[in-house]
């Protein structure tokens, strides 16, 4: 992106006042990068990728959750204070805090972090690519607008020349030196030139609207562009833009190549993530919990051990008590079973280690692993395809640049010839040796040649800028 901005700065000059009446190319590019919808979407996606990376890092930490159930129980249930069935209604509460952490998962989380790291970097490269794309589109639209603006000037000159010819012929017709047919023919040409001038202005307005759309500017806002001389735009020599050299530089500098390489590395990490899902994982867990029941009115605070009578037996008419085999805890002091007293009294903890062994899950884990392997192959093929396409585009761009240069040089020669032909035709017409229709033909040829030369010049400039963009270097002063 830096290279593109340098290219644009050098090509069209720097201005730090965005409120000026006419926009420079640099202003258009900077505004488009900040406001174009496609660039904004790429920026949002890049931020999403960063959040995904941060979330995968946080997944290394233990999970903790708090749960508390409160309610009113009716009908037959178990009294939590005595662990016996009861039909009494009661209020209950069961707060719990649970923590779990994976101890070993075959580096699944670590590889997930690495994959998301590559994807986040790819998201940044996609944002850079979106900025580069909009910069090129704006440059192309800007040059197209400049061409239509130059065509207005050419049409204006043609129209002014025709008006002068109409005035001269009209004088000669009034003087009887020329027939009225000559005046009618020249007036027809004046009407055609006026129409061409109006068409050129309409084309310029349309080109400005297209540029405003790229900038995400309101079409109703006043908008115009500066007009730097196209011949002052600096260009690298074509000999320094050999396709092999440009291609080697593009592989290192263009965002799309970085995106493909990062996607391949992320896919390779995801293969390891999918493979880890097929193996056992070890985890640790722990928890804190308590309970409350409205049936527990009092809570024992101290106990006394006693041998209790648990029954009786009658032998030969004499009843004998049956005592417990060992002493029982008998509460001798209590306190109110308030909510917080019960939570403290019923407070319990647990801690342990577990293992999760995937045995059968309908082949999901193995299928995902194979899909991940195929995704690596797909990303590698996409990388190779993009590299081939890039190479083809660069060689095609170089061929187009060579052809555009040759066409531009030929159009300059054609313009020189057309100007001479029109100059000779004008002189012959002024002395009465050439008909107005022949003068009109020469004048139209000159107009067409000027427009062709301008089109060839702007086409050559843009194709050279495209090669410079592929090379990844700005213009040198």
């Amino acid at each position: 992106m830096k290279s593109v901005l340098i290219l644009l700065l050098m090509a069209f000059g720097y201005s730090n006042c965005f409120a000026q009446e006419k926009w420079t190319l640099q202003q258009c590019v900077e505004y488009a990068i900040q406001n174009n919808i496609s660039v904004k979407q790429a920026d949002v996606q890049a931020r999403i990728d960063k959040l995904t990376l941060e979330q995968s890092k946080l997944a290394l930490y233990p999970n903790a959750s708090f749960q508390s159930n409160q309610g009113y129980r009716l009908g037959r249930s178990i009294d939590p204070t005595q662990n016996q069935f009861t039909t009494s209604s009661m209020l209950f509460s069961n707060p719990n805090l649970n923590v779990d952490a994976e101890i070993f998962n075959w580096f699944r989380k670590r590889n997930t972090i690495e994959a998301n790291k590559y994807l986040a970097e790819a998201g940044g490269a996609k944002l850079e690519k979106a900025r580069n794309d909009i910069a090129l589109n704006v440059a192309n639209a800007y040059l197209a607008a400049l061409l239509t603006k130059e065509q207005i000037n050419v049409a204006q000159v043609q129209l002014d020349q025709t008006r002068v010819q109409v005035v001269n012929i009209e004088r000669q017709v009034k003087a009887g030196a020329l027939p009225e047919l000559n005046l009618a023919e020249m007036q027809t040409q004046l009407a055609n030139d006026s129409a061409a001038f109006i068409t050129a202005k309409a084309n310029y307005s349309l080109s400005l609207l297209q540029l405003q759309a790229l900038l995400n500017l309101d079409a109703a806002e006043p908008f115009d562009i500066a007009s730097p001389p196209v011949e002052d735009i600096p260009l690298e020599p074509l000999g320094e833009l050999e396709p092999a050299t440009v291609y080697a530089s593009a592989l290192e500098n263009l965002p799309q190549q970085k995106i493909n390489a990062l996607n391949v590395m992320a896919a390779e990490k995801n293969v390891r993530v999918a493979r880890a899902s097929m193996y056992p994982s070890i985890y640790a867990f722990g928890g804190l919990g308590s309970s409350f029941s409205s049936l527990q009115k009092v809570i024992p605070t101290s106990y006394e051990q006693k041998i209790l009578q648990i029954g009786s037996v009658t032998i030969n008419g004499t009843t004998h008590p049956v005592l417990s085999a060992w002493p029982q805890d008998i509460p001798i002091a209590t306190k109110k079973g308030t909510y917080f007293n019960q939570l403290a009294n019923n407070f319990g903890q647990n801690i342990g280690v577990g293992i999760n062994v995937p045995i059968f899950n309908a082949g999901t884990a193995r299928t995902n692993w194979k899909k991940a392997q195929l995704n690596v192959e797909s990303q590698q093929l996409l990388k190779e395809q993009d590299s081939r396409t890039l190479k083809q585009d660069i060689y095609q761009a170089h061929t187009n640049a060579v052809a555009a240069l040759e066409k531009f040089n030929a159009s300059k020669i054609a313009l020189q010839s057309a100007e001479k032909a029109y100059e000779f035709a004008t002189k012959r017409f002024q002395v009465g040796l050439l008909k107005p229709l022949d003068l009109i033909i020469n004048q139209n040829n000159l107009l067409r040649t000027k427009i062709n030369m301008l089109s060839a010049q702007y086409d050559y400039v843009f194709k050279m800028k495209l090669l410079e963009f592929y090379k990844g270097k700005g213009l040198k002063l």
Side-chain angles (χ1 to χ4, degrees):
M1 186 61 218
K2 184 184 294 184
S3 299
V4 175
L5 289 178
I6 293 175
L7 181 153
L8 299 172
L9 289 174
M10 294 181 176
F12 294 95
Y14 176 81
S15 172
N16 58 4
C17 179
F18 279 77
Q20 68 182 32
E21 182 179 359
K22 296 185 178 181
W23 291 55
T24 65
L25 179 57
Q26 178 205 345
Q27 291 173 338
C28 291
V29 169
E30 291 180 352
Y31 189 89
I33 289 175
Q34 295 294 327
N35 296 276
N36 183 265
I37 299 297
S38 298
V39 177
K40 288 184 176 181
Q41 289 175 333
D43 179 59
V44 170
Q45 186 57 51
R47 285 182 282 171
I48 291 175
D49 294 336
K50 289 182 179 179
L51 289 175
T52 302
L53 173 60
E54 294 301 321
Q55 188 275 326
S56 62
K57 291 180 179 179
L58 292 175
L60 292 173
Y61 297 95
N63 297 319
S65 63
F66 175 77
Q67 182 180 8
S68 181
N69 298 323
Q70 290 84 27
Y72 189 72
R73 186 171 294 167
L74 303 172
R76 181 179 173 86
S77 61
I78 296 178
D79 182 356
T81 63
Q82 299 179 2
N83 200 28
Q84 295 179 355
F85 285 103
T86 181
T87 57
S88 300
S89 59
M90 61 178 171
L91 293 172
F92 68 90
S93 177
N94 300 301
N96 292 278
L97 174 65
N98 298 301
V99 179
D100 66 86
E102 282 190 310
I103 299 175
F104 184 70
N105 54 23
W106 301 92
F107 308 107
R108 177 174 55 86
K109 291 185 177 180
R110 184 178 299 177
N111 286 317
T112 299
I113 292 174
E114 292 295 325
N116 290 337
K117 178 182 178 182
Y118 292 136
L119 291 176
E121 293 178 5
K126 289 178 183 178
L127 176 58
E128 182 182 358
K129 181 179 183 297
R131 290 171 175 170
N132 284 349
D133 290 344
I134 192 61
L136 281 178
N137 291 336
V138 169
N140 188 22
Y142 194 94
L143 289 172
L146 285 180
L147 173 59
T148 56
K149 196 171 186 178
E150 290 292 338
Q151 289 174 348
I152 292 177
N153 297 331
V154 173
Q156 180 70 63
V157 172
Q158 173 83 359
L159 180 60
D160 293 342
Q161 290 176 344
T162 305
R163 284 173 177 167
V164 172
Q165 295 294 348
V166 168
V167 172
N168 292 335
I169 293 176
E170 188 175 12
R171 291 175 181 172
Q172 296 184 47
V173 168
K174 289 181 179 180
L178 290 175
E180 292 186 2
L181 176 61
N182 292 356
L183 179 59
E185 292 175 342
M186 192 58 67
Q187 287 175 337
T188 301
Q189 181 62 29
L190 178 62
N192 292 334
D193 291 344
S194 298
F197 178 69
I198 294 172
T199 301
K201 291 196 296 183
N203 290 337
Y204 179 59
S205 297
L206 290 175
S207 64
L208 290 182
L209 287 174
Q210 292 175 353
L211 184 55
Q212 282 180 276
L214 288 175
L215 302 181
N216 199 26
L217 278 176
D218 188 352
E221 293 184 7
F223 179 76
D224 200 2
I225 59 174
S227 303
V230 65
E231 59 273 7
D232 293 342
I233 299 176
L235 299 173
E236 284 194 40
L238 190 57
E240 296 182 8
L241 297 172
E242 289 297 325
T245 303
V246 173
Y247 175 66
S249 180
L251 287 178
E252 297 181 0
N253 297 292
L254 287 187
Q256 185 59 51
Q257 311 312 309
K258 299 177 183 178
I259 294 170
N260 290 334
L262 291 168
N263 284 339
V264 169
M265 290 187 286
E268 291 172 346
K269 291 294 181 180
N270 282 328
V271 171
R272 299 183 181 182
V273 173
R275 184 183 180 90
S277 300
M278 297 189 296
Y279 294 99
S281 59
I282 302 173
Y283 61 93
F285 62 88
L288 305 174
S290 188
S291 63
F292 165 81
S293 172
S294 60
L295 296 180
Q296 190 174 19
K297 304 298 183 180
V298 294
I299 300 174
T301 57
S302 62
Y303 296 86
E304 180 182 20
Q305 289 189 338
K306 291 183 178 181
I307 300 295
L308 300 179
Q309 180 180 345
I310 60 176
S312 62
V313 61
T314 301
I315 301 175
N316 297 326
T318 303
T319 301
H320 300 277
V322 178
L323 303 177
S324 60
W326 53 84
Q328 302 292 323
D329 290 333
I330 304 300
I332 59 175
T334 60
K335 63 180 178 180
K336 290 184 178 181
T338 63
Y339 181 80
F340 290 104
N341 287 339
Q342 287 193 42
L343 291 184
N345 192 63
N346 298 327
F347 182 64
Q349 309 88 36
N350 68 84
I351 187 171
V353 177
I355 183 170
N356 183 13
V357 181
I359 298 176
F360 182 72
N361 55 9
T364 301
R366 182 169 293 275
T367 300
N368 290 338
W369 176 51
K370 291 181 178 180
K371 285 182 178 180
Q373 290 176 314
L374 291 176
N375 187 49
V376 172
E377 185 176 349
S378 176
Q379 293 296 332
Q380 289 173 338
L381 291 173
L382 180 60
K383 179 182 178 182
E384 181 180 355
Q385 181 183 19
D386 284 349
S387 296
R388 290 179 179 270
T389 301
L390 175 63
K391 187 173 185 178
Q392 182 178 357
D393 290 344
I394 289 175
Y395 274 79
Q396 183 176 348
H398 185 270
T399 301
N400 291 338
V402 172
L405 177 58
E406 293 176 352
K407 183 179 179 180
F408 175 48
N409 291 332
S411 65
K412 289 192 293 185
I413 297 175
L415 179 59
Q416 293 175 357
S417 300
E419 288 175 343
K420 289 183 179 179
Y422 178 69
E423 182 182 355
F424 293 151
T426 302
K427 291 180 179 179
R428 294 187 64 190
F429 176 76
Q430 290 175 349
V431 297
L433 298 178
L434 190 68
K435 297 180 179 180
L437 182 60
D438 294 329
L439 178 64
I440 291 173
I441 292 174
N442 280 274
Q443 186 173 335
N444 290 337
N445 287 338
L446 177 60
L447 174 63
R448 185 169 54 254
T449 304
K450 285 182 178 179
I451 293 177
N452 290 339
M453 193 274 292
L454 284 173
S455 298
Q457 187 176 16
Y458 278 95
D459 183 56
Y460 165 65
V461 169
F462 180 74
K463 286 181 168 56
M464 291 295 292
K465 292 298 179 187
L466 183 60
L467 277 177
E468 292 173 358
F469 164 73
Y470 282 133
K471 190 176 181 181
K473 295 183 178 180
L475 297 176
K476 299 178 180 179
L477 292 176

